[in-house]
Amino acid sequence: MKYFSTRGDPEELSFEEAVIRGLAPDGGLYIPTEIPSLPSNWESDWLNYSFQELSFAILSLYIPAQEIPSETLKEIINKSYSTFRDPTVTPLHKLNDKLHVLELFHGPTFAFKDVALQFLGNLFEFFLLRRNAAAEKSGNQEKERLTILGATSGDTGSAAIYGVRNKANISIIILHPYGRVSPIQEAQMTTVTDANVHNLAVHGTFDDCQDIVKTCFGDKIFNSKWKLGAVNSINWARILAQMVYYFSAYFQAKRAGIINDIKRIQFVVPTGNFGDVLAGYYAKRMGMPTESLAIATNANDILARFWKSGRYEKGENGVVETASPAMDILISSNFERLLWYLADEAEATSASGHGRAAACATVKSWMSQMKENGRVPMPKEVLERARKDFIAERVSDEETLETIKAHFTPQDGTPSYIADPHTAV
């Protein structure tokens, strides 16, 4: 299994290199050369797996044992999820007979991103320790270090900091939009006193922070000097780790009798940067039976508008502040990964036969148009293919608050449940 850039950089990387680099030199995102199929007996063999066992089974399909030996990978996984308060890691909570919540807030910072970032932090540390040990054996005493540079709309920053705080050979710098993250999230980031943790507040929006990060990664001289690493969901390991909880939800629902051969599961995912729901797309492509993945957006509805009209374009008023700030994003970075698969499928049905190179060229052109013009006119067949696996809806703040109120108020024997604004969307 190798990894390549969605924009066509010719180099194929190992899993380790893809994780360490984060963003490709051409600005593209790394994706695997193939999406593996699930083993033939996966439903019966994995049915009673713990989250950690499930994580090992899925991650092993993408990480060759030659890169991370099986026992070592198990150790990294177990260490990563030992910090969670619930033994299930991501328990499925019943609201009513038709609606369940997959609770992703049981990690150290109460953010869903803990699921991926606890794992990613331990991965970074493992790779660097191994590299430095090998260098020392060969007589090179200079230690390799990694400078993690990330942007946050709130929860990524604190989850990333808690994932790498006080880890060997790693420094982390997190940019957040000044006055646009919650006081609790700001405190979680700025009160960590470990020497390797640094926070910067930026006058602007999350997209401004993300643009700074992408510019730094795109500067080859700067990147080489400081050895930049990514913790945002542009990093492939984030997507990989998040696939696991889709399978966990599936098996929890199956064990509880919620789904069967006739009654299938559907995931509705609050969506900002598209990384969370993209992990569900990979699970679906691997062979997990689900209904269409439902994308729920707030007023920053670039994705909902795309699925309605086929137009991928920025909103006229920039980023809108909402009650669900982690989703206040103008452009969804991970959408580029899905666009590559849509372009590849379109190319597969064409007569050109140029395959991967043509899909990369198409994506590179789309991303260039988006940067220059703020919009991309998508071909009709791309929208039709996107609608095969996804649906999308926009939810207002008023609807979000009404949903929170409705579930907080017990009715018809249904107990009270406190839903955060992102879950409510």
Side-chain angles (χ1 to χ4, degrees):
M1 178 74 73
K2 295 289 186 181
Y3 295 85
F4 67 94
S5 169
T6 50
R7 300 190 191 181
D9 187 271
E11 191 175 10
E12 288 191 352
L13 303 185
S14 65
F15 175 75
E16 177 178 346
E17 279 296 333
V19 170
I20 292 291
R21 286 195 192 179
L23 188 69
D26 60 359
L29 307 184
Y30 289 115
I31 57 176
T33 50
E34 60 179 317
I35 299 176
S37 297
L38 295 170
S40 57
N41 297 322
W42 71 277
E43 286 200 81
S44 57
D45 290 351
W46 297 0
L47 178 61
N48 295 305
Y49 274 9
S50 67
F51 188 92
Q52 291 85 342
E53 290 169 330
L54 201 52
S55 183
F56 175 74
I58 293 162
L59 269 55
S60 296
L61 299 175
Y62 290 90
I63 306 172
Q66 300 94 311
E67 285 204 59
I68 304 180
S70 296
E71 289 306 311
T72 303
L73 181 58
K74 287 178 182 178
E75 289 172 6
I76 293 171
I77 289 168
N78 290 334
K79 181 180 179 182
S80 300
Y81 301 116
S82 66
T83 59
F84 280 66
R85 293 177 296 277
D86 191 289
T88 315
V89 181
T90 58
L92 192 64
H93 181 91
K94 180 179 178 179
L95 296 181
N96 56 50
D97 289 341
K98 292 186 177 180
L99 187 61
H100 296 72
V101 174
L102 184 63
E103 294 185 341
L104 304 178
F105 55 76
H106 294 282
T109 72
F110 296 83
F112 88 90
K113 292 165 184 176
D114 284 326
V115 179
L117 286 169
Q118 286 292 302
F119 174 69
L120 181 56
N122 288 320
L123 264 187
F124 279 144
E125 185 175 49
F126 166 74
F127 287 144
L128 290 171
L129 287 172
R130 184 170 67 178
R131 288 180 173 201
N132 288 331
E136 192 173 337
K137 271 189 177 181
S138 63
N140 183 357
Q141 299 302 312
E142 186 177 348
K143 290 187 179 297
E144 182 174 346
R145 294 185 55 82
L146 189 67
T147 303
I148 293 173
L149 185 61
T152 186
S153 54
D155 46 2
T156 295
S158 53
I161 287 168
Y162 277 73
V164 302
R165 62 185 298 185
N166 206 29
K167 290 202 181 294
N169 309 309
I170 299 173
S171 294
I172 182 167
I173 302 168
I174 294 294
L175 285 68
H176 68 270
Y178 180 72
R180 288 177 178 243
V181 300
S182 73
I184 290 175
Q185 289 171 327
E186 184 176 357
Q188 281 183 322
M189 292 186 284
T190 58
T191 59
V192 176
T193 57
D194 297 74
N196 69 327
V197 174
H198 312 278
N199 287 280
L200 295 173
V202 175
H203 286 285
T205 66
F206 167 77
D207 289 86
D208 295 321
C209 297
Q210 188 154 259
D211 284 344
I212 294 170
V213 170
K214 286 186 175 181
T215 300
C216 291
F217 273 94
D219 186 326
K220 291 183 179 180
I221 296 174
F222 184 88
N223 196 334
S224 176
K225 179 179 179 181
W226 296 106
K227 303 293 183 186
L228 298 183
V231 289
N232 286 84
S233 54
I234 57 175
N235 194 304
W236 167 251
R238 283 272 307 269
I239 307 302
L240 179 57
Q242 289 172 184
M243 292 180 207
V244 179
Y245 54 67
Y246 283 91
F247 285 94
S248 177
Y250 177 84
F251 285 117
Q252 288 181 68
K254 193 146 192 175
R255 290 195 298 267
I258 299 166
I259 58 173
N260 51 43
D261 292 339
I262 299 171
K263 195 175 181 182
R264 288 165 51 137
I265 196 169
Q266 182 174 38
F267 293 97
V268 181
V269 187
T271 303
N273 219 19
F274 202 73
D276 193 353
V277 74
L278 181 70
Y281 171 75
Y282 277 105
K284 195 172 190 288
R285 284 282 301 264
M286 288 169 70
M288 187 179 74
T290 74
E291 299 292 348
S292 294
L293 295 156
I295 298 164
T297 77
N298 60 21
N300 299 286
D301 59 350
I302 183 171
L303 296 170
R305 285 185 282 112
F306 168 77
W307 261 273
K308 288 285 190 297
S309 67
R311 294 192 299 272
Y312 186 49
E313 57 187 359
K314 296 180 182 179
E316 294 179 359
N317 302 316
V319 177
V320 179
E321 289 189 58
T322 73
S324 44
M327 297 159 60
D328 290 350
I329 292 171
L330 192 63
I331 298 175
S332 303
S333 293
N334 272 290
F335 190 53
E336 179 172 339
R337 284 184 163 114
L338 177 65
L339 287 177
W340 188 90
Y341 290 106
L342 299 176
D344 187 54
E345 288 174 14
E347 180 61 30
T349 60
S350 74
S352 72
H354 293 150
R356 187 169 102 185
C360 289
T362 298
V363 169
K364 186 174 183 178
S365 172
W366 286 341
M367 294 301 100
S368 177
Q369 291 177 60
M370 192 65 181
K371 185 174 182 178
E372 292 173 9
N373 307 319
R375 63 178 62 85
V376 183
M378 291 290 175
K380 184 179 178 182
E381 60 268 23
V382 169
L383 177 60
E384 290 173 352
R385 292 179 189 281
R387 285 174 172 170
K388 288 181 180 179
D389 291 306
F390 297 88
I391 57 175
E393 289 292 340
R394 177 188 189 274
V395 178
S396 68
D397 271 1
E398 292 75 20
E399 291 171 310
T400 300
L401 297 176
E402 281 300 316
T403 300
I404 293 172
K405 182 180 178 181
H407 286 286
F408 182 73
T409 307
Q411 50 187 314
D412 300 327
T414 303
S416 174
Y417 188 81
I418 300 174
D420 79 281
H422 306 84
T423 302
V425 169

